[in-house]
Structure formats: structure tokens, C-alpha cells
Amino acid sequence: MCRLRQIGCSLGPGRLLSSRGKRGRASQTTPTTRDLFPRDRSTLCLKPRPPVVTVMGHVDHGKTTLLDWLRKTSVAEREAGGITQHIGAFSVQLSTGERLTFLDTPGHAAFSSMRARGASLTDIAVLVVAGDDGVMVQTRECVDLVRSAGVPLVVAINKCDKPGAEPVSLPALLHSLGSLLQPCVPYNEKERVEEELLQCGVQLERFGGDVQSVRISAVTGRGVPQLEEALLAEAELNAVMGDPSGPVEAVVIESHVDRGLGPVASVVVRHGTLECGAVLVAGRTWGKVRAMFDERRKPMREAPPSTPVLTVGWRDLPTSGDNCLQADSESAARSMVQHRASTPARLSGVRENRESGEGGEGVGVVVKGDMVGSVEVVVQVLEKRQPEGAAVRVIHSGVGAVTDSDVELAASTGSVILAFGVSSTKSVKALARQKNVTIHSHTVIYKLLELLKEHVKGTLPWRE
Ligand code: GDP
């Protein structure tokens, strides 16, 4: 709790993390009817929003049971008393009024496909490890996946209601007696799981790291409120924010054709507040939102950041993981979709010049950003400023946090990393220091470019 308070004072609600009015060169990115970009990050007015959480772990360790428990203990769920429809994500309202959004396709398939498609939707991952089974193959895979994506992790040691498989020693028994409030997995087992996790590189708080671990039982619900609290603390620590005003940016979770409603898509809103009548573009399709429902099929009037919502009114089915942006009008949406169809490569979100041997002299740049659109914007701005014989060349661009492999790539090509609205973990920063790689991060494009300019000036002439 003291951790919560500590952070609370530095990141209070509604704090403006940007400098309005100083649009500078980023104004080159003004949306047109030909294409849409996520709005300029310099104009964002960020406010805390519920974290979007993915539950991961080895098969049979209790992911589905945990998601079911979370769903049915939500205040909103109890009030509605209805049956929850599967829309790929659900919102949990705690008795304190706080909310958490869970992606309810357990396992890392959802997580990795989302990542691969460039939608950095997950704010926090919960790693479920059955206390009686310990760290298994898929647990390790999840750890690697989460680490490479730079997503914060909270460990849930599950099945703490079960008598341990290992014999309980006297010290273990004394330990359990000493913690009567959480007499869960026997002492030696919890220790064992934590030590196994440490061996996988998970730096748990108990060993001086920053990863929280909570003992739970997904069957009895014991420890689940503590897990929810840990997730909220993690969200606060990581400044999980969104801008409820302005045009909507969302991510498609699932889509299907509903017999009565036609093509429907569930989306989780990132920025803006979605309302009926909004025109949305996702991938190569678009739609005017005719109706919106929550996961209980209750009609919704508005969906602020982090809200999962089923949208009706699509022309065609958007793909899971697609970024979804609001257009000014139906004609703008139509023209954007046509434009996208004619330039398929632009939508891949990843540019790889290394293999093609493109480049030549100059300073290499590795661009990482929080969404496909934002990466495109940074790359385009760089390209626009470097019409020919570039002093700066984009070696690689992609969506998501800066990873070890980005640092390795930057080190081997003598590049600098530009991170737009994404973070890098302590270990990535340490590797960058060790490899002498500079990481410039900012949430404002022109400031990022200023940093790059300073960097380049030190080595090469800067071409305006
Ligand atoms: P998943 O494959 O990770 O989604 O695992 P499930 O949620 O399907 O759980 C696998 C089995 O473990 C089921 O039989 C669950 O009832 C059981 N299980 C899950 N959580 C707990 C728990 O906390 N305690 C006990 N005793 N059993 C659990």
C-alpha cells in the first residue's frame, strides 16, 4: 500500500504529461482523408485508466478458472445477474469502484498474436503457476514472451487450497501457522516455485526484484482480492494512462457475423470515448457504429479508455489485433480504406532495410512505438526530412517496447533507438549501456526528433 501512495503523488489523476501548443514538426502528420494516424502524442491529455490484463501460464494451472472467478465476482456482474457473453474481454468492477479489464482468451496465443499484429494492448500480464506443479515449459515460454514484449508481470501462485505434494516440514508448518491469513501453499512449495521463477529470470520482490507474487486459489477465491490490488498497484507504477477526449483509438479483439446484427467486432478503447455514430476504420474495413454493447449485452452509450465494447455496423469483419481509428466522416473512411488497399506494405508496421542492403552512410535508427500508426508517423517524418542521400536511415521499425534484440541490432549497426511512447525494462537499459547504444524515448514526436538531431550533430552534418 505504501508503494501505492508513493507513486500516487507523482502521477495524480489528470496530470497533463504533454506540452500543448508546441506542435513543431509533428504537424506534418496532420490526418488527411487519404490516411489516418493516431493523434499527435503532444496533444494527449492523459488520465489514469483501468489496466488491460492478460492471464498466462502453463496448461491446467488455472487460467480459465481464475478468469471465471474474476468475472463472477465483479460488482457489475453481480448487479446484472445475467449471463456474460464471450466478447474476448471483460471489465471487472471492484467494490472500491476501480476497474480492471481482462482479455479472456487465456494462454499466450492471444497475447502473441496481438503483439505480432502490432497492437500493444496488454498493460500487465498475470503469470499463473500452480503451486503443486511449479514452473513448467509453457511457464518459461510465457516469461520469455512477456520479457521480450517489455510488459510488467505479476505472478499468481495458484491452487493454494490444495494440500502440498511435498511433505510439510516443521519450519514450513510454523511458517503456515505464522501467516494464518494466507495459509495457502505450504511454505516449502511457495519457496520452491519462487526459486524456480528466479532461475527463469523473474525478479520477485522477495529476492529484491520488482515482480509481485500473490498466492491465490482460483477455486475458493482466496488471495484474488490481493491479486487485484497488486494489478492496480502495478498499473499505477507503470502509469497506465489514456486520453478520454478526442478521436477514438481502439484495438480489435474479436469479430464475427451475428445473425441479427451482421458483422460485429469487440474492441478495447485506448484513447478517446467511443459513442454511437462514430465512424471507425480498422485494417481494410470500416464501419459506422450503430449500436454498442458490453459483455452482458447491455447497450452502452459511451466507452472510455480500456473499456471492452461490442460494436455493430461494420461493412466487413476487421481482424483481431487491428488498430481501429476514428475517421471524420464516412467518405474519409472509405477513401482511407481504398488508400490502404493500394499500399499493402505500409500496413505491416515493420520495415526491415537491413536484409535488403538499403542504407549506406549515415546514422542508423531503430524506431519503436506504441502502435502501428505511431511507428508509421515517426518513420514518415524521418523520411520527409531526409528526401535523398539520408544522413539518417531507418534500420528497423516495429511496435512494442524496446527489446534486447533491438539493442543488439542497434549495437551491430551503430544505430540509435527512438522509442515513441514505449518503455524499456531495466535489463534492456543495462544491455544498452553495456553495448554503448543510445535509447531516446519520448511521447512527443518533435522532441524525439530534437534528441535525434542532437545525437546526429555530434557525428554527421544534419540535413534540414
Ligand atoms: P487452464 O488450462 O490453465 O485454463 O486451467 P483450468 O482453469 O482449466 O484448470 C485446470 C484444472 O485445475 C481444473 O480441473 C480446475 O478445476 C483446477 N483448478 C484450477 N484452479 C484451481 C485451484 O485454485 N485449486 C484447485 N484445487 N484446483 C484448481
Side-chain angles (χ1 to χ4, degrees), residues 56-68 106-107 128 132 158-163 216-221:
M56 310 172 83
H58 193 72
V59 65
D60 280 347
H61 278 202
K63 300 175 292 293
T64 313
T65 314
L66 174 62
L67 287 166
D68 287 346
V128 177
D132 58 347
N158 191 27
K159 308 202 182 182
C160 70
D161 56 296
K162 269 186 155 182
I216 63 159
S217 165
V219 166
T220 67

Side-chain angles (χ1 to χ4, degrees), residues 152-427:
L153 183 69
V154 171
V155 172
I157 299 177
N158 191 27
K159 308 202 182 182
C160 70
D161 56 296
K162 269 186 155 182
E166 292 177 35
V168 183
S169 61
L170 185 63
L173 197 63
L174 289 174
H175 178 89
S176 292
L177 286 174
S179 56
L180 271 177
L181 285 177
Q182 280 192 317
C184 301
V185 178
Y187 168 74
N188 53 353
E189 238 175 54
K190 180 176 181 280
E191 302 266 296
R192 179 171 61 82
V193 172
E194 290 188 340
E195 270 151 30
E196 285 173 2
L197 284 168
L198 187 67
Q199 280 162 23
C200 300
V202 179
Q203 306 288 333
L204 293 165
E205 279 181 335
R206 189 162 77 82
F207 302 108
D210 54 9
V211 177
Q212 304 180 72
S213 92
V214 184
R215 288 175 292 165
I216 63 159
S217 165
V219 166
T220 67
R222 173 172 284 166
V224 177
Q226 285 85 340
L227 175 64
E228 291 168 335
E229 203 176 292
L231 290 169
L232 289 171
E234 202 63 43
E236 209 160 353
L237 264 173
N238 288 282
V240 171
M241 303 268 192
D243 180 356
S245 60
V248 171
E249 292 174 36
V251 176
V252 177
I253 307 296
E254 286 179 6
S255 63
H256 68 272
V257 179
D258 182 281
R259 244 194 240 164
L261 301 171
V264 296
S266 50
V267 305
V268 171
V269 177
R270 299 294 281 175
H271 293 294
T273 298
L274 183 59
E275 290 174 6
C276 282
V279 178
L280 299 177
V281 176
R284 296 203 202 157
T285 184
W286 66 279
K288 182 168 182 172
V289 180
R290 273 194 285 123
M292 307 195 307
F293 300 98
D294 69 7
E295 62 272 25
R296 288 168 293 276
R297 276 286 167 122
K298 214 172 111 205
M300 286 178 98
R301 286 185 40 225
E302 50 174 39
S306 291
T307 311
V309 53
L310 188 74
T311 52
V312 182
W314 290 91
R315 297 286 152 135
D316 222 328
L317 289 181
T319 311
S320 159
D322 273 349
N323 285 320
C324 185
L325 300 172
Q326 184 170 4
D328 288 343
S329 62
E330 292 181 38
S331 62
R334 215 173 284 122
S335 109
M336 185 182 169
V337 168
Q338 278 163 6
H339 176 54
R340 284 181 168 190
S342 63
T343 52
R346 288 168 41 76
L347 294 175
S348 71
V350 175
R351 229 176 97 110
E352 198 75 63
N353 286 342
R354 202 169 21 136
E355 313 267 294
S356 65
E358 256 183 70
E361 284 184 22
V363 170
V365 181
V366 172
V367 180
K368 295 305 289 281
D370 56 353
M371 292 180 101
V372 172
S374 59
V375 172
E376 282 185 345
V377 170
V378 176
V379 172
Q380 275 186 357
V381 172
L382 283 173
E383 281 172 350
K384 272 189 195 156
R385 296 189 57 179
Q386 314 282 315
E388 52 192 283
V392 172
R393 67 203 150 94
V394 178
I395 298 289
H396 166 78
S397 69
V399 176
V402 180
T403 61
D404 284 357
S405 57
D406 294 325
V407 174
E408 296 287 356
L409 176 62
S412 63
T413 53
S415 304
V416 53
I417 299 178
L418 296 187
F420 180 60
V422 290
S423 56
S424 354
T425 60
K426 277 188 209 149
S427 67

Side-chain angles (χ1 to χ4, degrees), residues 29-75:
T29 64
T30 307
T32 66
T33 52
R34 301 280 296 156
D35 212 340
L36 286 180
F37 300 121
R39 74 195 94 172
D40 185 342
R41 261 48 185 161
S42 68
T43 61
L44 284 183
C45 179
L46 297 172
K47 298 201 165 137
R49 60 172 172 81
V52 178
V53 181
T54 302
V55 175
M56 310 172 83
H58 193 72
V59 65
D60 280 347
H61 278 202
K63 300 175 292 293
T64 313
T65 314
L66 174 62
L67 287 166
D68 287 346
W69 181 274
L70 288 162
R71 204 181 283 115
K72 74 174 184 239
T73 52
S74 169
V75 171

